[in-house]
Amino acid sequence: MPRYRLIFPVIASILLAGGANAGAASEKAAARLSLVRQMTDMTLAVLQDAKKSYAAREEAMERGIAGMVDIDRIARSALGLGWRQADDAQRAKYTELYRRYLTKMYIANFAQSAERKVSNMKTLGVDGVSDEEFTARTEVRLSSGERLNVTYLVSERGGSNQIIDISVEGVRLLVTHRAEFGQILAAR
């Protein structure tokens, strides 16, 4: 039997397996893109809801952030060495305060000022960093016409997807907060 006849079934099975993997990868990419669109739609709906008071929008954003953002992980990383030095009660209190701080900061930046209000959010794409993490690229358009590139780093753990870092125009939230909190702790 000619050699090419023996090789063909092997090549075909490799290609078919690769096609199955590509299909699974394509499904995963579509699911990731759907998740990002859901996150941006929720954020935009809360920020633009003129019928709700500022306090009500803040509360709605806090609930939304709780489901989409791994606040505990971000809080722990932002505090850096201070996290290891804190006891359980201090960690719990800090995480609660960090959650409120993050929500208030987000709302204040994009819902309070007339020229900084979000007028539109567009999903630009999703890039796989690894099997467990991916980045979601979005464009936020402000009422002033300014466009901001916002990238979310999302972690998949236990069947759940949560944001673990946010970058606005290349400035990472986690890096910024770690530097700020580190200076505060160093001054103590």
Side-chain angles (χ1 to χ4, degrees):
M1 181 186 278
R3 289 174 78 174
Y4 67 87
R5 284 193 179 166
L6 293 174
I7 293 174
F8 179 74
V10 173
I11 292 173
S13 65
I14 290 170
L15 290 174
L16 289 174
N21 288 342
S26 176
E27 286 179 27
K28 192 171 200 171
R32 288 175 169 181
L33 191 58
S34 175
L35 170 76
V36 173
R37 287 192 174 127
Q38 181 183 0
M39 291 185 313
T40 57
D41 289 349
M42 185 282 304
T43 302
L44 190 59
V46 170
L47 291 174
Q48 290 184 336
D49 191 350
K51 294 177 184 175
K52 287 186 180 177
S53 68
Y54 182 81
R57 285 185 288 158
E58 190 174 272
E59 186 178 308
M61 185 58 74
E62 189 167 345
R63 282 193 311 272
I65 285 174
M68 295 185 304
V69 180
D70 189 344
I71 300 260
D72 293 351
R73 183 172 171 180
I74 294 173
R76 188 173 48 249
S77 296
L79 197 56
L81 293 175
W83 183 263
R84 285 182 277 210
Q85 296 167 350
D87 62 34
D88 289 342
Q90 290 170 322
R91 290 176 183 163
K93 182 67 174 174
Y94 161 75
T95 303
E96 175 191 328
L97 292 172
Y98 187 80
R99 179 175 288 109
R100 283 194 278 176
Y101 167 74
L102 194 60
T103 304
K104 286 182 184 297
M105 181 186 69
Y106 196 81
I107 289 283
N109 279 332
F110 298 115
Q112 198 170 25
S113 162
E115 61 274 351
R116 299 276 307 165
K117 281 189 180 174
V118 174
S119 64
N120 195 16
M121 294 179 80
K122 183 166 87 174
T123 303
L124 301 176
V126 173
D127 302 311
V129 175
S130 69
D131 284 344
E132 296 85 28
E133 292 182 351
F134 65 93
T135 58
R137 295 175 289 105
T138 64
E139 179 184 82
V140 175
R141 184 175 293 174
L142 304 178
S143 54
S144 66
E146 182 181 5
R147 295 175 187 207
L148 301 173
N149 292 311
V150 180
T151 302
Y152 301 93
L153 179 59
V154 182
S155 177
E156 296 181 73
R157 287 192 177 174
S160 175
N161 292 289
Q162 290 198 306
I163 296 168
I164 57 172
D165 198 7
I166 301 167
S167 171
V168 179
E169 291 296 322
V171 178
R172 290 183 49 209
L173 171 101
L174 197 51
V175 171
T176 302
H177 285 184
R178 180 176 268 185
E180 289 174 356
F181 296 167
Q183 286 178 341
I184 292 168
L185 290 174
R188 294 180 82 210

